[in-house]
């Protein structure tokens, strides 16, 4: 349950006309959540047919117009475009005179802080960086998921309260991130969330290859428990053959991956090395077992079969625990 305290009606900022530039998965969801808080979406821009359909579904009746017209109509503008497109968009809007003095300009990029909005700041806009730490589907369920979602907030000191108020109105929890720490903050989220999807998808494919009919049902309880344990206990939640120093089992894994899914080998080896390093550092992996394990991982990285023996088990019996 979210611990966010919704502001009292008298504490809320004035109701704002909201515009969205970039009708991807994020913008329409944020605009819809602001609409629930009493703000008024007035315009959306989108390029692809998919984005236009999404905007019509999430914000029915809101006109689709070019970006410059969005800024003409809105007091609060959400810039929800891909990271690499953001600097050019801001510069273009400022140079063409689309930015109005006193206009709240909000981007949702995790990579950038408020400084990327400097061209608009010089034109009189009020710059805010509000990044929701959430994965989006582009459907109405996203609005519900914003409840209790953390937002990485970066803004000039004089706008900090306004930024945090908007986050709270969307049901989120503001977390202040300094300008210089935005890239690190975003890398941390990508490492956890984006790579998790890749790992789960690879695991499901391998289970299907192994004959498992419902890999999602098999993985659901396991991964749910692993995530819960990791969030509660950190490295102490580590389990499995790497943590135990079962070099033979890891060697057998590498052999099978090379045979059935060679594209997954590099990722397996990289994560196994990182896991071994953390297990060693926290006293979970015995040093006397780590040598053989690290040897297997080094051999696997050389493009061989990942074993030191002839039976795929590093000369020992694989541990099935």
């Amino acid at each position: 349950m979210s611990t966010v305290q919704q502001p009292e009606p008298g504490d809320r900022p004035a109701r704002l006309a909201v515009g969205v530039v970039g009708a991807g998965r994020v913008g329409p969801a944020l605009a819809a959540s602001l609409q629930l808080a009493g703000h008024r979406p007035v315009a959306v821009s989108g390029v692809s047919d998919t984005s236009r359909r999404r905007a019509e579904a999430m914000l029915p009746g809101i006109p689709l117009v070019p970006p410059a017209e969005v800024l003409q109509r809105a007091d609060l503008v959400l810039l929800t475009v891909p990271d690499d497109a953001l600097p050019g968009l801001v510069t273009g809007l400022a140079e063409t005179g689309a930015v109005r003095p006193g206009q709240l300009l909000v981007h949702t990029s995790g990579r950038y802080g408020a400084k990327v909005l400097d061209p608009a700041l010089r034109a009189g806009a009020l710059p805010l960086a509000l990044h929701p730490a959430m994965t989006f589907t582009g459907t109405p369920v996203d609005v519900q998921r914003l409840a209790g979602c953390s937002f990485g907030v970066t803004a000039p000191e004089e706008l900090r309260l306004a930024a945090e108020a908007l986050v709270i109105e969307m049901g989120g929890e503001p977390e202040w991130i300094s300008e210089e720490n935005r890239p690190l903050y975003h890398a941390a989220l990508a490492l956890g969330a984006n790579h998790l999807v890749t790992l789960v998808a690879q695991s499901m494919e391998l289970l299907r290859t192994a004959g498992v009919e419902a890999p999602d049902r098999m993985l659901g309880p396991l991964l749910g428990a692993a995530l819960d344990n990791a969030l509660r206990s950190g490295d102490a939640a580590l389990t499995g053959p790497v943590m135990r120093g079962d070099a033979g089992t890891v060697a057998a894994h590498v052999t099978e991956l090379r045979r059935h899914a060679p594209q997954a080998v590099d990722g397996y080896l990289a994560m196994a090395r990182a896991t071994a390093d953390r297990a060693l550092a926290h006293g979970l992996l015995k040093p006397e077992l780590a040598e053989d394990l690290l040897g297997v991982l080094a051999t696997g990285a050389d493009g061989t079969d990942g074993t030191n023996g002839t039976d795929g088990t590093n000369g020992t019996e694989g541990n099935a625990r």
Side-chain angles (χ1 to χ4, degrees):
M1 180 180 296
S2 170
T3 59
V4 174
Q5 296 295 315
Q6 294 291 336
E8 295 296 325
D11 297 332
R12 289 179 173 178
R15 303 299 86 187
L16 300 169
V18 178
V20 179
V21 176
R25 297 181 180 184
V26 178
L30 297 188
S33 68
L34 287 169
Q35 186 174 36
L36 291 175
H39 298 288
R40 183 168 55 92
V42 293
V44 182
S45 73
V47 177
S48 69
D49 290 340
T50 299
S51 66
R52 289 172 175 270
R53 287 195 297 269
R54 182 182 297 118
E56 291 169 357
M58 298 280 288
L59 300 168
I62 306 304
L64 287 158
V65 300
E69 190 171 341
V70 173
L71 270 71
Q72 290 175 6
R73 299 186 182 197
D75 307 312
L76 165 63
V77 180
L78 302 173
L79 303 179
T80 53
V81 298
D83 290 356
D84 287 352
L86 181 61
L89 172 66
V90 175
T91 299
L93 291 173
E95 289 179 347
T96 57
V99 178
R100 294 189 284 108
Q103 191 169 46
L104 284 165
L105 212 57
V106 177
H107 80 70
T108 58
S109 166
R111 170 185 171 186
Y112 293 108
K115 192 171 180 58
V116 72
L117 298 173
D118 276 356
L121 173 64
R122 290 190 289 270
L126 307 177
L128 308 176
L130 308 180
H131 174 251
M134 177 55 62
T135 181
F136 288 79
T137 65
T139 66
V141 72
D142 296 331
V143 179
Q144 302 170 22
R145 287 180 173 175
L146 287 173
C149 167
S150 292
F151 279 67
V153 179
T154 306
E157 187 63 30
E158 62 271 19
L159 295 177
R160 179 168 178 163
L161 291 179
E164 292 181 341
L166 286 172
V167 169
I168 290 172
E169 285 201 315
M170 288 185 281
E173 299 186 9
E175 184 73 38
W176 189 257
I177 308 295
S178 66
E179 183 79 32
E180 61 270 20
N181 283 336
R182 290 291 289 207
L184 179 61
Y185 151 81
H186 194 225
L189 295 179
L191 184 66
N194 302 157
H195 297 177
L196 176 63
V197 174
T198 301
L199 289 171
V200 173
Q202 285 185 336
S203 180
M204 291 177 66
E205 289 174 354
L206 292 169
L207 286 171
R208 290 191 188 97
T209 302
V212 175
E213 293 184 0
D216 53 339
R217 289 204 300 268
M218 177 175 283
L219 286 174
L222 174 64
L223 299 185
L227 176 60
D228 184 64
N229 290 342
L231 293 174
R232 291 174 184 271
S233 304
D235 289 290
L238 279 173
T239 62
V242 171
M243 185 274 292
R244 293 191 297 266
D246 290 341
T249 298
V250 172
H253 289 176
V254 176
T255 298
E256 290 303 300
L257 289 175
R258 288 203 183 280
R259 183 176 302 153
H260 296 287
Q263 71 280 3
V265 172
D266 288 346
Y268 179 95
L269 291 171
M271 290 304 298
R273 287 190 210 99
T275 301
D277 289 344
R278 298 188 72 88
L280 271 170
H282 290 82
L284 302 172
L285 173 59
K286 296 178 181 179
E288 60 269 23
L289 297 177
E291 184 176 356
D292 283 347
L293 175 65
L294 295 175
V296 167
L297 296 176
T299 303
D302 290 338
T304 62
D305 64 359
T307 70
N308 291 329
T310 59
D311 59 355
T313 60
N314 197 33
T316 63
E317 292 184 1
N319 193 324
R321 287 178 290 171

